[in-house]
Amino acid sequence: MRQGERARTRYTVVLLFSAFGWFCSHDAVNPVHAQEPAYTVPVQTDDGWPTASLSDKGMETEPFVRLLSQLREADDHLIHSILVAKDGALVFEAYFDGSDMNFFDENLLITCTLCLKEVHFTRDDLHFTASVTKSITSMVLGIAMDRGHISGTELSMLSFFPDYAHLRTPAKDSITIHHMLSMTAGLPYDEGTYPIADPRNDARRLFVTEDPVAFVLGADVVHAPGTTYIYNSGTTVLLGEIIRRSTGQSFSAFTEEHLFRPLGITSHKWAEFIGAPDVPFASGGLYLRPRDMAKIGQLMLQDGVWNGRRILSSDWVQRSLTMAIALFDRGRAYGYGYQWRLARFGGFTGFYGVGWGGQYIVVLPELNIVFVQTGGRFAGERIPISYATIIERYVLPALRHQ
């Protein structure tokens, strides 16, 4: 089956009659006909998300109808979901069929380089978040600090790994948690030069090694810590291990107790490293529902508060979104904070987490908007429409005089 055929668009009809106080149940929902794209209000469920119409939040419907029409015509867009929240309510939600990365395939990296699974996506389906996991790991580390498990970001990275003292060097001694969070540790890492199937790709090497900690710590420093941005999934893995060692809980259990449960995130999965299942895959192993990805963005937008409950300190949110290092030639991102990119969309300042394959959580604080996209661009395919294009050509024009 061709990729375009696998990515045929499907729209979920949602009928909400708020004036009469009732709505169609999930079981009664039918798909919109492919030749008749239409906007419908997201279904209100018990997941903690209020829903509203676009017009309720001062947004026009027509740009979103045009978006659905374009996605129908460009059936090779490889988008699996698009969600928009405005002023704390979901106002747009659409799902499409496609192929998701399946880290739970027992043949992963043995008989298949990319183990993909065909999914008829709905709001209830988990999706691979890839490196959006990094942004969530930063939040979890902030919670660990808020709770007193880790005393500060200026602590030495190696102070948490006395069992790897044989890998110490004076240069590595100067690497701090701050450097790890801001991708300025100065350790080499390359997952872009070679395809994921190539044994020289560091992402592949990290995933299959029997000791991910040694793999990361064994590298020689190539830039003075704090001076140069080097995207490094390995140091984020070490952040997850620091959380595990500092809290006395597994990374997944601590995240479940202190982030997911307070957010009402009841369904998720964590992939594991092939050779080291006890080391948290904190750089890219998380599967979430797109609605729950939107909760992550909304929590950051609301300064760490969800439904009146503080989950993450305001101090950590602000530190995470403060530029630690400027980015050059990185697309629209102009800076990097603590595992979040800082960027501008259509003249508005925002921040976002991004993951391989087309996974995005984008937050536009000035407009009180959270945008989520999931996708399946795992083989580097060219796509007819990008997440930024969707935001700038359809979401922003839908705003009325804002």
Side-chain angles (χ1 to χ4, degrees), residues 44-97:
Q44 181 81 48
T45 72
D46 61 357
D47 65 358
W49 265 117
T51 65
S53 70
L54 288 163
S55 60
D56 286 341
K57 298 299 181 180
M59 301 182 75
E60 300 285 351
T61 299
E62 188 271 339
F64 287 92
V65 174
R66 285 193 291 109
L67 171 61
L68 291 174
S69 179
Q70 178 169 349
L71 293 176
R72 181 201 67 207
E73 295 170 2
D75 61 359
D76 57 348
H77 54 71
L78 299 178
I79 292 171
H80 297 162
S81 73
I82 298 172
L83 288 79
V84 177
K86 177 76 168 79
D87 298 337
L90 283 177
V91 295
F92 182 81
E93 180 177 35
Y95 297 91
F96 313 88
D97 296 343

Side-chain angles (χ1 to χ4, degrees), residues 115-128:
C115 284
L116 301 177
K117 178 181 179 181
E118 294 287 334
V119 183
H120 183 68
F121 284 105
T122 71
R123 70 179 60 84
D124 297 318
D125 291 300
L126 298 174
H127 199 287
F128 179 49

Side-chain angles (χ1 to χ4, degrees), residues 382-399:
R382 294 182 64 86
I383 54 175
I385 184 169
S386 71
Y387 82 103
T389 297
I390 293 172
I391 292 172
E392 294 178 344
R393 290 189 184 174
Y394 300 99
V395 178
L396 296 184
L399 297 168

Side-chain angles (χ1 to χ4, degrees), residues 77-223:
H77 54 71
L78 299 178
I79 292 171
H80 297 162
S81 73
I82 298 172
L83 288 79
V84 177
K86 177 76 168 79
D87 298 337
L90 283 177
V91 295
F92 182 81
E93 180 177 35
Y95 297 91
F96 313 88
D97 296 343
S99 300
D100 197 11
M101 185 67 188
N102 183 14
F103 270 96
F104 303 98
D105 189 323
E106 62 183 7
N107 295 314
L108 183 65
L109 296 182
I110 299 174
T111 62
C112 59
T113 301
L114 295 177
C115 284
L116 301 177
K117 178 181 179 181
E118 294 287 334
V119 183
H120 183 68
F121 284 105
T122 71
R123 70 179 60 84
D124 297 318
D125 291 300
L126 298 174
H127 199 287
F128 179 49
T129 67
S131 287
V132 169
T133 307
K134 292 180 172 68
S135 302
I136 295 170
T137 294
S138 171
M139 297 167 73
V140 177
L141 187 117
I143 292 171
M145 287 188 58
D146 293 341
R147 301 181 71 85
H149 297 292
I150 300 170
S151 61
T153 58
E154 297 310 312
L155 294 174
S156 165
M157 172 183 71
L158 286 174
S159 67
F160 294 92
F161 300 99
D163 43 333
Y164 290 87
H166 59 287
L167 298 176
R168 288 183 61 182
T169 66
K172 292 177 195 174
D173 280 339
S174 65
I175 298 173
T176 66
I177 291 177
H178 167 82
H179 298 138
M180 300 165 76
L181 285 163
S182 58
M183 296 292 185
T184 61
L187 294 171
Y189 189 85
D190 184 358
E191 60 181 53
T193 301
Y194 307 104
I196 189 66
D198 194 303
R200 293 170 293 181
N201 184 299
D202 281 339
R204 179 187 175 93
R205 295 172 65 201
L206 177 65
F207 187 66
V208 301
T209 183
E210 293 184 356
D211 192 342
V213 175
F215 174 80
V216 180
L217 294 181
D220 292 327
V221 173
V222 294
H223 294 284

